[in-house]
Amino acid sequence: MKKNILKVLGLAAILLGTGSVAQAQFRQSIFLDGVLPVGGFASSATASDVPFTMKDMGKEAIIGFGAGYRASYRFDVGVGEVAPFAQADIFWNSIDGEWKEKFAGHNYYTPNYFNVPLLAGVSYLYDELWNDITLYGEFGLGGDLFFITSEGTGKGNERFAYKPTVKLAWMVGAGAYFGQHVSAGLYFYGLGKHYIDYTDKTISNNTIAAADAALYSLANKRESRNIFELALRIGFHF
């Protein structure tokens, strides 16, 4: 009798486990973002009439664009669904128009900012309020790769090239699914405190080197930027 009970309980456990696996849904998502820099990332660390000098490493970023890919599994938890995910994004921001004018006036290439956050996280989805509308909230944690494109003449002897950096990153967001395949949400990304430093490909002409000799010698005294982005996201899910 005892053996029969154990067999029944074991069979029930197998069936329940099989049912849970069967209910898990693998989903893939593609995102398009409008990204707005927030805080120190949206302000210049320094200012100068010279378009680029050693003291002008932190130029203010303006609204940009992004894209992302996510792989996730959805599990029914009785009241809504839980979806662990892994995600990769890329965000692009240019510099403020006033800076662009300075660069254009000297025929210099303008720098661009890129952030590449790689995150793992979890979503909670709740679909009990309205037909075809599912509310969700989520968070993620991982790392962000930050790099700045080089600025200067490109061909001449006035070019600054920057080192990429990697810092801890996080994200929180909320929004809604409209049906099964389209979503819209608002996200806040904390992409870390990144230090801005030069590579050995940096070249400065004599005029700038003379004007910034003291600053040039302080290469180890690197500027830092706390990077935050607010993202308005449209998602496509399949």
Side-chain angles (χ1 to χ4, degrees):
M1 181 67 177
K2 185 177 181 179
K3 290 183 178 179
N4 290 334
I5 293 175
L6 292 175
K7 288 180 180 179
V8 170
L9 291 175
L11 180 60
I14 292 172
L15 291 175
L16 287 173
T18 304
S20 298
V21 172
Q23 291 177 12
Q25 299 178 3
F26 176 69
R27 302 294 298 271
Q28 298 183 82
S29 305
I30 295 174
F31 301 112
L32 298 176
D33 306 294
V35 290
L36 179 68
V38 180
F41 195 37
S43 61
S44 290
T46 50
S48 170
D49 291 333
V50 180
F52 61 89
T53 68
M54 297 298 289
K55 62 186 177 184
D56 290 328
M57 294 186 288
K59 303 171 184 68
E60 65 186 281
I62 59 173
I63 191 169
F65 302 97
Y69 169 80
R70 173 183 294 185
S72 65
Y73 269 99
R74 284 192 185 182
F75 297 90
D76 190 339
V77 293
V79 182
E81 295 179 314
V82 170
F85 64 82
Q87 179 171 322
D89 297 300
I90 182 168
F91 299 144
W92 165 81
N93 295 92
S94 184
I95 61 173
D96 179 73
E98 183 179 350
W99 279 105
K100 285 184 177 179
E101 291 177 5
K102 291 180 180 181
F103 275 79
H106 290 74
N107 295 317
Y108 293 153
Y109 293 125
T110 60
N112 292 276
Y113 296 117
F114 287 91
N115 287 278
V116 184
L118 303 175
L119 305 174
V122 63
S123 299
Y124 173 72
L125 303 94
Y126 185 74
D127 60 358
E128 300 296 327
L129 295 179
W130 302 283
N131 291 333
D132 297 324
I133 297 180
T134 300
L135 302 180
Y136 72 87
E138 58 192 34
F139 70 90
L141 185 67
D144 175 60
L145 169 65
F146 173 64
F147 62 95
I148 309 172
T149 61
S150 61
E151 58 186 79
T153 59
K155 296 180 180 179
N157 62 348
E158 301 174 5
R159 183 181 71 248
F160 288 160
Y162 299 96
K163 295 179 181 179
T165 58
V166 176
K167 294 294 180 181
L168 181 69
W170 54 268
M171 168 273 287
V172 293
Y177 283 79
F178 302 94
Q180 294 293 318
H181 302 292
V182 178
S183 68
L186 188 64
Y187 290 77
F188 190 77
Y189 280 78
L191 299 176
K193 183 178 182 179
H194 292 267
Y195 288 93
I196 301 174
D197 203 356
Y198 298 99
T199 71
D200 55 6
K201 295 181 180 179
T202 291
I203 304 172
S204 179
N205 68 15
N206 293 331
T207 301
I208 294 178
D212 292 334
L215 291 166
Y216 204 97
S217 67
L218 296 177
N220 291 328
K221 189 178 179 181
R222 300 170 298 171
E223 289 193 33
S224 62
R225 305 297 296 275
N226 280 310
I227 299 178
F228 297 97
E229 296 263 28
L230 188 64
L232 179 62
R233 169 166 294 165
I234 303 297
F236 303 94
H237 313 276
F238 50 94

